[in-house]
């Protein structure tokens, strides 16, 4: 526990001493209390709402998998293919990805983020691993995806490769897609009318049957292609829980002013049955009233020290442009992945998200 009453104090890195407003304390808890975690989470959400458009999470269920495949976030979609690769192999998974892109465009999705696990050992060159994950990576490269990060996976002895693609690069491509769908529907309507005329005609029975068979085949083919726009995937909006359960093993570092939560950190230890023991920093937030006083550094250092004492070798976290990438870089975190243009702000700008790691 660290406790400081109102007085001038000097913190390394700050030129002038400053006075902490009110009574502040930092407490470290090996098992974070749910209410404290929620208060920190709500504080971070409030900060994000000042910048971000409203967003919704939509789970995608594939016919080949009972588990959610991906999550649509604002105008982007992210997915992990690991389970599908095991079930279907690289070729069929690539085919499903192409269908997913068509369906996503119809839903207003404009950017795609895909992660693929590759390699048997973190030190093994990816070019030497010939398996489905590697084949899918090559497929993504040849279909417009850009590799944004390639790092050792912390929980399994593999690489994680992250890919990004702009699904819609121009208004023309969007119009082409709409025109294709409109053309299919017009053709379908034309053949359906032709089928009615043939059935109502008094032509020879054998010729009439042959025409009906031909027209029915065309209608069946058109309906199948149209379904790729509508029913390739099932999208379900899942209601968010008001008070999500806090799993055991999570820890928290909390800043309080006169007993009221004014910031903190919420993390998860992963030190058992993993390749690299590590700590995930899930949520980190400091209230604007106490920001810029050095408290953020104290909170982060307390979390890193605790993680190291529990056997973690690495700390990992994610952040966004308008949050604190500069702060993490000053604390010697290394950027390992960039997800470009992943979120839209209230002003309509697209901002990047980042993943950072640090040895502790």
């Amino acid at each position: 526990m660290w406790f400081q009453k109102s007085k001038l104090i000097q913190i390394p890195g700050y030129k002038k001493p400053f006075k902490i407003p009110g009574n502040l304390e930092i407490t470290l808890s090996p098992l974070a209390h749910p209410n404290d975690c929620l208060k920190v989470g709500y504080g971070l959400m409030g900060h994000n709402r000042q910048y971000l458009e409203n967003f919704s999470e939509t789970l995608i269920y594939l016919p080949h998998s009972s588990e959610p495949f991906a999550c649509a976030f604002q105008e982007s979609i992210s997915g992990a293919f690991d389970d599908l690769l095991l079930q279907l192999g690289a070729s069929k998974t690539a085919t499903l990805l192409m269908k997913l892109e068509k369906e996503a465009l119809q839903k207003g999705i404009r950017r795609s983020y895909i992660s693929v696990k590759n390699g048997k050992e973190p030190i093994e060159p990816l070019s030497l691993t010939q398996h489905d994950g590697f084949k899918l990576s090559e497929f993504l490269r040849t279909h417009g995806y850009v590799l944004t990060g390639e790092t050792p996976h912390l929980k399994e002895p593999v690489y994680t490769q992250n890919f990004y693609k702009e699904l819609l690069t121009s208004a023309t491509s969007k119009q082409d897609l709409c025109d294709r769908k409109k053309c299919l529907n017009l053709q379908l309507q034309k053949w359906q009318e032709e089928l009615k005329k043939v059935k109502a005609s008094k032509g020879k029975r054998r010729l009439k049957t042959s025409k009906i068979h031909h027209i029915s085949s065309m209608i069946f083919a058109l309906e199948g292609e149209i379904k790729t726009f509508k029913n390739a995937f099932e999208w379900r909006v899942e209601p968010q829980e008001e008070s999500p359960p806090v799993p055991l093993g999570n820890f928290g570092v909390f800043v309080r002013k006169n007993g009221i939560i004014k910031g903190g950190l919420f993390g998860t230890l992963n030190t058992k049955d993993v390749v690299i023991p590590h700590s995930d920093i899930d949520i980190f937030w400091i209230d604007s009233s106490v920001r810029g006083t050095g408290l953020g550094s104290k909170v982060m250092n307390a979390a890193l020290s605790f993680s190291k004492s529990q056997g973690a070798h690495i700390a990992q976290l994610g952040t966004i442009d308008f949050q604190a990438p500069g702060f993490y870089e000053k604390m010697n975190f290394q950027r390992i992945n960039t997800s470009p243009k992943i979120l839209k702000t209230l002003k309509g700008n697209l901002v990047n998200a980042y993943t950072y790691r640090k040895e502790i």
Side-chain angles (χ1 to χ4, degrees), residues 222-268:
L222 287 168
E223 288 176 340
E225 191 169 351
I226 290 172
K227 281 182 180 180
T228 63
F229 287 95
K230 295 181 179 180
N231 302 320
F233 298 87
E234 182 179 358
W235 296 56
R236 303 177 186 173
V237 178
E238 298 292 329
Q240 299 294 314
E241 296 182 4
E242 294 183 0
S243 301
V246 180
L248 295 175
N250 289 350
F251 65 92
V253 183
F254 303 103
V255 178
R256 291 180 175 84
K257 178 182 177 182
N258 298 326
I260 300 174
I261 292 285
K262 287 293 182 178
L265 178 151
F266 180 34
T268 308

Side-chain angles (χ1 to χ4, degrees), residues 191 194-195 198-199 201 203-218:
W191 283 111
E194 184 68 20
L195 182 61
V198 172
K199 286 183 177 180
S201 67
K204 293 182 179 180
R205 186 173 181 180
R206 181 179 295 180
L207 182 60
K208 183 177 178 180
T209 302
S210 177
K211 283 187 176 181
I212 290 175
H213 177 72
H214 172 69
I215 294 172
S216 298
S217 298
M218 295 297 298

Side-chain angles (χ1 to χ4, degrees), residues 63-75:
H64 299 276
S65 176
S66 59
E67 296 298 322
F69 161 76
C71 173
F73 196 73
Q74 286 190 334
E75 291 183 357

